[in-house]
Structure formats: structure tokens, C-alpha cells
């Protein structure tokens, strides 16, 4: 679990799972959420993830090597910058919502895939499969850019992927807690 610091990914997974679940529920119940508010929610999610990463860096948790610590700090600063730029360029991002959400889910699936490979658990295979499903869903959302579907199917697919991401985050958190509490793998 040392590659790209599994602990850094899994430490705040409960909070991220709650946010992803809430965004998925709101998107499912109110598809018009995708026509504007989702950009602000994603920006807040990125800024919060960045702030938690900076908090981890300042607290010195993990005591990893210096170059790993600075790489983590760079990634968290990039997340904050992404959140700020998403708010600033809201008007442009909303016009390419399927591409924006699809690419974000593809990036998130890569993080999940890496975390799944680093997980020392019987759930490793399940996590890999779920991360690949998120990647496939991200690609499907990009396809919506070309005019297929409409708002309702887009909202259903997107909310389903958010719920799937929520499950992955919960599983990562479970593995992290079991590892830290000396539980069985």
C-alpha cells in the first residue's frame, strides 16, 4: 500500500463517499442540477480534497519521503486550482458538461484503479472491476457530447456513476480502517 500513498487516498474516503452519495442523489432526483449547480459542487469537492491534502501535509502524517510529500502537496494544490478555475470558467464548462463530467470520472477511475492495486485485501479484485466500470461510464458520458440521449439519461448514468464511486470510497475506507485496527485482510 505504499504506491502513491494508499493512506492518503483512503484516509478521507468516508467524507468523500458522503459527498459523492449526496451529489448522486441530488442528480437522480433533480436532473436540472446538471445544468449549473453541479459545477459548483465539483469545484467545492476539489477544493475540499485539496484542503484535506494540505492538512495532511502540514500535520506530517505518514512521514513519507520528502519527494513523495512534495508530490502530494503539488497534487493537492492542483486540485484547489482546478476547483477555483471551475468556478471562474463556469459559463464555459456548463456548455461542455458531458465532456467535463466524463473526463473527471475517468481521472477519478485512474485514482481508484491505483488504490485498488495498492490495497492489500480480498476486495482488491472487486475494487479493480468497480474502477473499470467507472472508467467505462466516464467514456459513456463523453459520448453524450455528440448529442445522444438528453438530460434524463445523462442524469441517470451520471448519478449511477456517483453512487458507484461512493461504494468504492466506502470500500477503500473499510480496507484502511481494517488495516489500521489490525483487522483481517
Amino acid at each position: 500500500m505504499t504506491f502513491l500513498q494508499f493512506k492518503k487516498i483512503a484516509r478521507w474516503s468516508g467524507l468523500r463517499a458522503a459527498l459523492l452519495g449526496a451529489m448522486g442523489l441530488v442528480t437522480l432526483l433533480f436532473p436540472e442540477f446538471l445544468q449549473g449547480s453541479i459545477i459548483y459542487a465539483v469545484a467545492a469537492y476539489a477544493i475540499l480534497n485539496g484542503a484535506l491534502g494540505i492538512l495532511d501535509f502540514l500535520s506530517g502524517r505518514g512521514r513519507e519521503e520528502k519527494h513523495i510529500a512534495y508530490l502530494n502537496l503539488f497534487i493537492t494544490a492542483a486540485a484547489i486550482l482546478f476547483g477555483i478555475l471551475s468556478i471562474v470558467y463556469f459559463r464555459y464548462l456548463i456548455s461542455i458538461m458531458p465532456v467535463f463530467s466524463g473526463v473527471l470520472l475517468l481521472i477519478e477511475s485512474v485514482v481508484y484503479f491505483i488504490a485498488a492495486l495498492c490495497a492489500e485485501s480480498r476486495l482488491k479484485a472487486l475494487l479493480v472491476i468497480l474502477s473499470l466500470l467507472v472508467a467505462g461510464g466516464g467514456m459513456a458520458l463523453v459520448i453524450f457530447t455528440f448529442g445522444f440521449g438528453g438530460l434524463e439519461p445523462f442524469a441517470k448514468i451520471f448519478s449511477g456513476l456517483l453512487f458507484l464511486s461512493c461504494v468504492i470510497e466506502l470500500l477503500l475506507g473499510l480496507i484502511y480502517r481494517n488495516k489500521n485496527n489490525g483487522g483481517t485482510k
Side-chain angles (χ1 to χ4, degrees), residues 6 21 26 33 47 55 61 63 70 111 121 125 141 149 157 179:
F6 176 81
V26 169
F33 180 65
I47 291 169
L55 180 68
R61 288 187 183 168
R63 306 279 186 240
Y70 288 118
V111 172
S121 170
L141 289 180
I157 292 171
K179 180 81 173 161

Side-chain angles (χ1 to χ4, degrees), residues 58-81:
L58 294 175
S59 69
R61 288 187 183 168
R63 306 279 186 240
E64 63 267 339
E65 294 179 27
K66 200 179 253 188
H67 68 282
I68 297 288
Y70 288 118
L71 175 65
N72 287 332
L73 183 61
F74 173 77
I75 291 170
T76 58
I80 292 172
L81 180 63

Side-chain angles (χ1 to χ4, degrees), residues 24 41 176:
Y176 176 71

Side-chain angles (χ1 to χ4, degrees), residues 30-35 144 148-157:
F30 308 104
E32 59 276 359
F33 180 65
L34 289 172
Q35 295 176 328
F144 271 91
F148 300 110
L151 185 61
E152 286 292 323
F154 176 68
K156 288 178 183 175
I157 292 171

Side-chain angles (χ1 to χ4, degrees), residues 12-153:
W12 301 103
S13 63
L15 179 60
R16 283 193 309 271
L19 292 171
L20 289 167
M23 282 193 298
L25 184 62
V26 169
T27 302
L28 185 63
L29 296 176
F30 308 104
E32 59 276 359
F33 180 65
L34 289 172
Q35 295 176 328
S37 302
I38 190 71
I39 301 290
Y40 293 120
V42 168
Y45 178 79
I47 291 169
L48 179 64
N49 266 331
L52 293 174
I54 289 174
L55 180 68
D56 279 346
F57 176 80
L58 294 175
S59 69
R61 288 187 183 168
R63 306 279 186 240
E64 63 267 339
E65 294 179 27
K66 200 179 253 188
H67 68 282
I68 297 288
Y70 288 118
L71 175 65
N72 287 332
L73 183 61
F74 173 77
I75 291 170
T76 58
I80 292 172
L81 180 63
F82 169 77
I84 292 168
L85 290 175
S86 295
I87 293 169
V88 170
Y89 293 108
F90 167 83
R91 170 175 10 132
Y92 303 109
L93 292 175
I94 202 64
S95 65
I96 58 166
M97 189 62 215
V99 171
F100 178 72
S101 58
V103 168
L104 287 178
L105 284 168
L106 283 170
I107 292 168
E108 188 172 16
S109 71
V110 169
V111 172
Y112 291 152
F113 186 77
I114 291 169
L117 292 179
C118 296
E120 296 172 355
S121 170
R122 285 182 239 152
L123 297 174
K124 180 185 259 186
L126 177 63
L127 285 169
V128 167
I129 291 168
L130 293 177
S131 68
L132 293 174
L133 286 173
V134 171
M139 286 185 250
L141 289 180
V142 172
I143 291 172
F144 271 91
T145 303
F146 302 109
F148 300 110
L151 185 61
E152 286 292 323

